[in-house]
Amino acid sequence: MTSRLRAGHLAGSLIATLAFVGGAAQADVVLAPELAGVYAAGKGVTGEFLKVSDTWHDSSVLWNEDTHSFGSGVAIGTFSWGSGLWGLADWRTAYGSPAPGMIESSWTGRASPISYADAEYNALYGPTWGEAAMAPLFAPNGPSAGENNWASRFAGYIRITEAGTYNFGVLHDDGFFFTLGGASGTLSLENDFLNPRERLGFGSNLQLGVGLYSFELGAYDRIEAGVVELSWSRGGGKWSVVPIENLIRPDEVMPVPEPSTWALMIGGLLAVGSIASRRRNRTDALRG
Ligand SMILES: [Ca+2]
Ligand SMILES: [Ca+2]
């Protein structure tokens, strides 16, 4: 059964979409910030990790028994073998409306940076793809002894301090979605169902401006190796994990006055100081 399913998802599950709401572009995608301007450095965003019960048996991901592929047919939860997480539909159930018993344990806290894996990932792929931190969900310090059927969610703002060419890539196993919101629309990237570890970025580079872009990243691992890592590429260069100072929690957004504003403020302070100084001099003169 496992090998048959594997053949099916290798055949047809790689989906990378570049959806641009409000206009299509083939070359670099120009996206203005959702919040333009200069903002103070971030301290990372919140990560919500869920351990789904290995015996949860209500997957709504579709499986086509005739074509041996995902995305059509009947819900996998109706098959005797259909326990655990199989795709983004199950991720949404876990975070949106989990039935009692679906979520075995959870961990929520500051994620810094977004680069988490399970032990099997680090053992198998750490040497070639780079090690990631153990997801805080897992023992010995976390609440879950099991490292399969786990999911994660991160959301907040990505802070851009230099306008230019960017791309974002998500290293994942098994699947993920990523959205990036700007002033005029939202870009999205996803890889649904079951996939071997891979990093997937937007098909076009992005031209970004100085400011904040909202984002959401959701990921899940069904069995074996599991990883989620958010990287960026700047100016067409190599991938590197997005630093925590570029990840801002919505309740920690802090605008920094721009140089022109500073100039006005300092000019104003100098003027006030000069008036006060003249007044003091005149008072002194009257006294003298
Ligand atoms: Ca695993
Ligand atoms: Ca996996």
Side-chain angles (χ1 to χ4, degrees), residues 118 120 147-150 221-226:
D118 55 24
E120 189 158 348
E147 298 188 4
N148 290 331
N149 293 309
W150 60 281
D221 167 44
R222 171 173 169 72
I223 55 169
E224 300 171 352

